[in-house]
Amino acid sequence: MAAIGVFVLAIGGIVAAIVLSGIVIYNKLIRLRNTVKSSWSDIDVHLKKRYDLVPNLVETVKGYAVHEKSVFEKVTEARSIAMQAKTPAGRAKAENMFGETLKSLFAVAEAYPELKANANFMQLQSQLKELEDNIEYARRYYNAVVRDFNILIESFPSNIIAGMFSFKQEDFFELEAPETERKPVKVSFS
């Protein structure tokens, strides 16, 4: 009789440990999923600030480069598309296009030395650089949290709990680097 009681107690302890482990894993999944959402929201806030800054930048450049109408239209269109993208993958694609059009805007600015010396333009350019840095930091944090979340979803035994409660992997927010940035740097000492 005492042996049966010990056996039942042991089985009960094992079941309790499994249930407790499941609860801990579930709570960790919830915590990481909420951190993913929060960090995506941080990226969204920085992008919104950039979207709000760009029209001021365009208007400043317009004052000096009136005949560059197609560049302004492309920047405005790319901004609109980027603002409408909702998923990290869609936002990344739109941001790549938007980034390229911003480069064309700055290329126009290079042709106007008096614009480059304009205090308002310099301030807007400085604010844009700061926002770009903030976006980069927020993107790195978001991708790190997504990595941890996805690893937990794929790892045993947490993959069982993730499957039971329909946790899905999240997308990374990856901006494509232009081909020139991906090529190795050539060093020549001639």
Side-chain angles (χ1 to χ4, degrees):
M1 282 281 216
I4 294 175
V6 170
F7 179 73
V8 169
L9 193 58
I11 295 293
I14 291 171
V15 169
I18 291 171
V19 168
L20 186 60
S21 295
I23 292 170
V24 168
I25 290 170
Y26 178 80
N27 287 339
K28 188 171 184 178
L29 284 164
I30 292 292
R31 188 171 41 259
L32 278 172
R33 182 175 64 190
N34 288 335
T35 305
V36 166
K37 288 178 182 178
S38 172
S39 59
W40 178 252
S41 178
D42 291 346
I43 290 173
D44 211 31
V45 165
H46 292 302
L47 292 174
K48 171 101 173 73
K49 286 179 183 178
R50 184 174 70 174
Y51 300 149
D52 292 344
L53 179 71
V54 168
N56 295 333
L57 191 60
V58 167
E59 287 302 314
T60 301
V61 174
K62 266 186 188 178
Y64 288 85
V66 178
H67 61 283
E68 305 286 351
K69 186 177 181 184
S70 68
V71 173
F72 304 133
E73 288 172 354
K74 287 179 183 175
V75 170
T76 303
E77 180 183 343
R79 175 182 174 263
S80 177
I81 291 169
M83 288 174 68
Q84 293 172 10
K86 299 296 180 208
T87 65
R91 181 66 63 93
K93 184 177 178 183
E95 284 298 319
N96 287 328
M97 185 176 74
F98 185 51
E100 289 302 312
T101 61
L102 280 178
K103 286 178 186 175
S104 66
L105 181 69
F106 283 109
V108 166
E110 288 294 319
Y112 298 90
E114 64 277 2
L115 170 61
K116 291 188 333 186
N118 178 293
N120 189 34
F121 179 75
M122 290 172 55
Q123 179 186 8
L124 290 169
Q125 194 173 16
S126 173
Q127 288 174 346
L128 186 62
K129 167 123 180 50
E130 183 180 328
L131 282 170
E132 294 294 339
D133 290 343
N134 291 341
I135 291 167
E136 179 184 347
Y137 297 136
R139 183 175 59 93
R140 285 183 181 184
Y141 179 71
Y142 170 81
N143 285 339
V145 172
V146 166
R147 179 200 60 223
D148 293 345
F149 182 66
N150 289 347
I151 287 172
L152 190 62
I153 286 175
E154 291 181 350
S155 300
F156 181 80
S158 56
N159 62 344
I160 296 168
I161 303 297
M164 287 171 51
F165 292 99
S166 302
F167 284 91
K168 303 289 183 214
Q169 288 192 349
E170 295 288 338
D171 292 331
F172 289 101
F173 184 49
E174 299 177 307
L175 299 178
E176 294 178 17
E179 287 304 314
T180 55
E181 292 181 22
R182 292 180 189 216
K183 293 180 181 174
V185 177
K186 272 190 166 179
V187 178
S188 175
F189 294 106
S190 53

